[in-house]
Amino acid sequence: MIVVLSKGISTHDKEMVRIYLKDRGFAIRDQLLGEDEVIGATGKGVVDLRELGILPGVERVAATSKPYELASRESKSEDTIVTVGPVKIGGSRITVIAGPCAVESREQILETALRVRESGAVMLRGGAYKPRSSPYAFQGLGMQGLEFMKAAGEATGMPIVTEVVSPEFAAQMNDLTDMFQIGARNMQNFELLKKVGALGKPVLLKRGPSATIEEWLLSAEYLLAAGTRDVVLCERGIRTFETYTRNTLDISAIPVVKGLSHLPVLVDPSHAVGIRAKVSSAALAAVAAGADGLTVEVHPHPDEALSDGPQSLFPEQFERLMRDIEALAPVVGKELLRTPKPSQELSTKSVDLSSGTPKPVSPKDLPVAFSGESGAYAEQALMRAFGEEAPRLGAASFRAVFDAVLDGSAGFGVAPVENSLAGSVHENYDLFLRYPDIAIVGELKLRIVHCLIGEENAQIENISIVRSHPQGFAQCRDFLDKYPHWQLEACNDTATAVASIAREGATKVAAIAGEAAAKAHGLKVLKAGIETNPLNYTRFVIIARRNGSDKAPVPPSLGSEPANKASLVFSVSDEPGSLFACLKIMSERGINLSKLESRPIQGKPWEYQFYVDVTLPPTEETFDAVVQELKAKTEDFHFLGSYRASL
Ligand code: PEP
Ligand code: MN
């Protein structure tokens, strides 16, 4: 049983809770669980849970039915997000750790680090102490290897994770490593778990080759009980009767463990499969099954590797795998984590209302604006781009998002511009024309899974009114066609529709929105996955205020990759060949059009403007020249911004 204490509980009240539990036969220990201070109570004591729940300073009581408590989802329903330096593991991101099985030399670990970093790995792995089956096999370089690895991590901006094989090494390794790995063979080395857990550093806990899921979670419990808050589980294959592969990757363990525990789950496809050519398939399967990331063995020259060469990927194979993961991630509602840009200096001016004088404020220190209420898809896109903890500003409309960015109350904004089923969100394209000081600085694609959401007591048969954004209706056309008597009411956004039902407590009204909106407003999902086609994505753009010229700051979380896409809006004169002349300019420069859409110009009946997205050539000069030529050939030319395309 876990007793979660209120923030700011007095020492006296805490002591009273302790005494209360001890008097009733429990063994107790103080603990931190995420941000919460808790008292773990074990033993055969008997307690009235309601009485305990109303003691001063008690926030809530979680009675767990599992032998592990701190690791259990019953004690903490939200996903734990583990932070290792600039890297986060868990939540809506896919985090990829890569590196050799063992550190072999200063050059080998640095070369590997550079290669895997280039392909998108965000953490470096490598064994300095190797637990080998044979005493005659390479045992690792020990502390010297760890020093080489630390240097390689620092040179490439990646935190490092390395295996600790014995409690006696833990303290000295602690100064150098960012995360400890407990290897499969040591999963039940309880003295090691206690020692490493007490150091408080993040720990990657591999599943033992013959361990049940419960044993694995009990080992995680040892680490948590000893003091660390940051445990990441790692499925690395279990021993079965099958001998073709080195182990058998237990794919089903991923959704099972994610149900039982709040801890993030990574998969190590290398040790699971043991055969280089099969590692990438297993890695993709793991991502599809809901893993929070991977740890993959990569070696610059696997044929010469001192350990696990046959399962180590060539850097080129790893690069290909990363591209596939990037494409797969949105299908499972996640985003491949990129390492933030080291520290790009951003600055803009915002008006200090109290003194009326402009004071420099970095946009990255300001909230990010989105349209809607808590649980909106735009809020999910925001969290994907800026992190779950990013301060946000829920605006009442798309226009209010643009206003907030323009007046400096938000550093960036997130706005949907296109859906793969329902097409462009014209309102936002139109806003760009009315807000010339706002530019697009990034983009993000989010998979949209719509749900029919209602009050706790609502039944689909009794619904008569459905609320959503018009895009929500358009994307669920087939489902709505089955209920022709439903009256559809349009709202500003999907989460607002959900919030209105929560406020009114109406049981005959339902909303079409995402599951997150149902959770945020305490409503029930009546039916999930009602979009006409599961391949339903919305493209959101990230907007910022231009700094005088055409350049606008880029959020550091979007990474440092150069822009490869640009968005334009222009109109052309009403004469034969005028659009063709513009397209020709781009065609001759080898510029690819990824979108071309015409749209009526407001106030000018039967005249049109064109929305154009292009893939940029590698050098910006070429494109600048193109922009100048296009300006000459078009009327009313708007350059909305250049940015890095999301896959
Ligand atoms: C390793 O990661 O190099 C390793 C030895 O893994 P495992 O403990 O899963 O065998
Ligand atoms: Mn290995």
Side-chain angles (χ1 to χ4, degrees):
M1 176 174 62
I2 303 275
V3 183
V4 182
L5 304 176
S6 317
K7 299 235 173 334
I9 180 176
S10 68
T11 321
H12 171 263
D13 287 347
K14 204 189 297 182
E15 193 48 34
M16 294 312 286
V17 178
R18 279 205 199 95
I19 293 171
Y20 181 93
L21 290 166
K22 276 195 205 151
D23 284 353
R24 285 159 183 77
F26 289 97
I28 58 160
R29 55 179 198 281
D30 292 341
Q31 207 72 57
L32 282 169
L33 189 58
E35 296 304 308
D36 293 326
E37 210 181 329
V38 306
I39 296 179
T42 43
K44 294 207 184 340
V46 181
V47 74
D48 179 337
L49 290 181
R50 278 180 310 169
E51 190 177 86
L52 175 59
I54 57 168
L55 289 186
V58 172
E59 174 82 24
R60 69 189 158 84
V61 180
T64 50
S65 57
K66 306 285 184 306
Y68 43 88
E69 293 186 339
L70 298 167
S72 153
R73 206 176 265 285
E74 289 172 15
S75 66
K76 180 170 180 274
S77 62
E78 334 73 79
D79 289 342
T80 283
I81 294 169
V82 167
T83 303
V84 190
V87 171
K88 289 198 164 65
I89 307 174
S92 59
R93 52 184 75 70
I94 305 282
T95 306
V96 179
I97 305 172
C101 178
V103 183
E104 298 167 4
S105 67
R106 185 189 288 281
E107 296 71 30
Q108 172 253 14
I109 188 69
L110 181 61
E111 185 181 353
T112 316
L114 288 166
R115 298 296 298 268
V116 299
R117 170 80 158 95
E118 206 175 285
S119 302
V122 292
M123 267 183 80
L124 181 65
R125 60 145 288 144
Y129 294 93
K130 295 304 302 174
R132 304 302 300 277
S133 301
S134 161
Y136 308 118
F138 174 59
Q139 304 286 309
L141 298 182
M143 282 309 285
Q144 190 190 34
L146 186 49
E147 275 160 24
F148 293 159
M149 192 173 165
K150 177 81 187 156
E154 276 172 3
T156 50
M158 286 189 287
I160 61 173
V161 53
T162 195
E163 177 165 353
V164 52
V165 293
S166 161
E168 71 186 281
F169 301 143
Q172 53 172 343
M173 290 175 76
N174 194 30
D175 295 336
L176 294 179
T177 192
D178 300 297
M179 185 182 209
F180 283 108
Q181 175 172 314
I182 301 285
R185 292 158 193 80
N186 268 318
M187 188 203 85
Q188 286 189 313
N189 182 339
F190 302 118
E191 292 311 312
L192 180 65
L193 295 174
K194 284 191 243 174
K195 178 87 185 187
V196 171
L199 293 171
K201 273 253 167 84
V203 183
L204 183 68
L205 176 65
K206 292 218 165 173
R207 179 180 182 183
S210 307
T212 63
I213 287 173
E214 186 161 299
E215 287 163 343
W216 186 18
L217 290 172
L218 276 165
S219 291
E221 189 77 8
Y222 261 96
L223 291 165
L224 294 167
T228 181
R229 279 192 257 180
D230 295 319
V231 176
V232 177
L233 300 163
C234 180
E235 160 63 40
R236 45 75 75 200
I238 50 173
R239 191 163 284 199
T240 66
F241 53 81
E242 181 53 66
T243 54
Y244 189 87
T245 48
R246 183 173 177 181
N247 290 290
T248 298
L249 177 57
D250 186 3
I251 285 282
S252 49
I254 304 164
V256 170
V257 171
K258 290 206 70 78
L260 292 173
S261 174
H262 52 87
L263 297 172
V265 180
L266 296 191
V267 165
D268 172 349
S270 311
H271 292 87
V273 176
I275 307 165
R276 185 184 306 136
K278 318 284 183 224
V279 165
S280 295
S281 313
L284 291 170
V287 172
D292 295 295
L294 301 167
T295 169
V296 185
E297 284 186 346
V298 181
H299 195 289
H301 313 285
D303 298 337
E304 295 160 24
L306 298 181
S307 68
D308 284 347
Q311 70 191 32
S312 299
L313 295 186
F314 284 96
E316 298 74 19
Q317 288 177 303
F318 178 67
E319 187 185 349
R320 164 100 204 265
L321 171 63
M322 290 299 283
R323 294 172 66 80
D324 288 347
I325 293 170
E326 192 162 6
L328 175 61
V331 176
V332 288
K334 292 189 178 165
E335 185 87 358
L336 181 64
L337 178 72
R338 298 287 187 186
T339 300
K341 229 178 190 174
S343 76
Q344 192 203 27
E345 223 6 86
L346 297 167
S347 86
T348 184
K349 297 225 154 96
S350 96
V351 177
D352 178 348
L353 294 174
S354 57
S355 67
T357 47
K359 81 167 194 240
V361 174
S362 167
K364 63 180 192 296
D365 296 326
L366 293 168
V368 184
F370 70 99
S371 165
E373 306 215 20
S374 175
Y377 290 115
E379 190 190 37
Q380 287 170 47
L382 183 161
M383 292 195 286
R384 202 68 64 72
F386 294 87
E388 275 91 350
E389 302 78 7
R392 357 190 157 131
L393 193 87
S397 63
F398 292 147
R399 193 187 170 133
V401 171
F402 278 68
D403 278 333
V405 175
L406 190 66
D407 72 19
S409 43
F412 297 97
V414 176
V417 288
E418 189 174 8
N419 174 265
S420 58
L421 297 182
S424 291
V425 183
H426 294 117
E427 192 185 340
N428 278 325
Y429 273 101
D430 291 344
L431 282 167
F432 278 110
L433 308 186
R434 286 155 64 186
Y435 288 74
D437 287 324
I438 300 290
I440 302 178
V441 295
E443 80 165 357
L444 190 122
K445 285 184 195 128
L446 188 75
R447 182 173 170 205
I448 303 292
V449 179
H450 285 305
C451 303
L452 189 74
I453 293 164
E455 261 287 325
E456 193 52 46
N457 302 320
Q459 305 282 343
I460 292 199
E461 310 78 66
N462 302 333
I463 298 297
S464 56
I465 296 174
V466 177
R467 293 182 190 149
S468 191
H469 185 272
Q471 284 264 345
F473 296 140
Q475 293 161 30
C476 301
R477 200 29 52 219
D478 286 6
F479 175 74
L480 289 173
D481 282 348
K482 291 188 207 145
Y483 303 91
H485 59 286
W486 283 355
Q487 191 186 322
L488 306 184
E489 289 182 3
C491 296
N492 271 353
D493 71 277
T494 55
T496 303
V498 175
S500 72
I501 297 172
R503 256 193 319 272
E504 294 161 18
T507 53
K508 290 195 175 349
V509 188
I512 292 177
E515 195 186 353
K519 260 199 191 140
H521 298 281
L523 295 192
K524 186 169 83 175
V525 171
L526 303 173
K527 186 155 174 53
I530 57 169
E531 64 279 10
T532 300
N533 187 324
L535 295 178
N536 184 18
Y537 298 90
T538 292
R539 196 158 69 83
F540 289 83
V541 289
I542 292 159
I543 59 172
R545 196 172 71 173
R546 296 182 203 266
N547 290 332
S549 69
D550 267 351
K551 296 270 179 279
V554 177
S557 53
L558 290 188
S560 53
E561 309 256 39
N564 61 355
K565 185 171 179 182
S567 297
L568 326 166
V569 179
F570 56 77
S571 54
V572 291
S573 55
D574 187 14
E575 58 192 30
S578 57
L579 175 61
F580 174 72
C582 295
L583 300 185
K584 189 160 164 271
I585 293 170
M586 294 193 262
S587 148
E588 279 170 355
R589 299 274 196 323
I591 293 175
N592 186 37
L593 261 65
S594 51
K595 172 177 175 142
L596 174 64
E597 184 179 350
S598 68
R599 166 123 177 97
I601 302 178
Q602 291 182 22
K604 293 189 181 171
W606 321 124
E607 288 187 35
Y608 299 89
Q609 61 203 359
F610 297 95
Y611 296 166
V612 181
D613 285 348
V614 298
T615 309
L616 290 183
T619 57
E620 252 195 70
E621 286 88 339
T622 333
F623 191 68
D624 283 348
V626 172
V627 166
Q628 292 317 318
E629 278 188 54
L630 283 172
K631 275 187 176 162
K633 287 265 182 241
T634 55
E635 298 176 0
D636 204 22
F637 181 92
H638 302 266
F639 182 64
L640 304 189
S642 56
Y643 48 95
R644 189 74 189 169
S646 122
L647 270 182

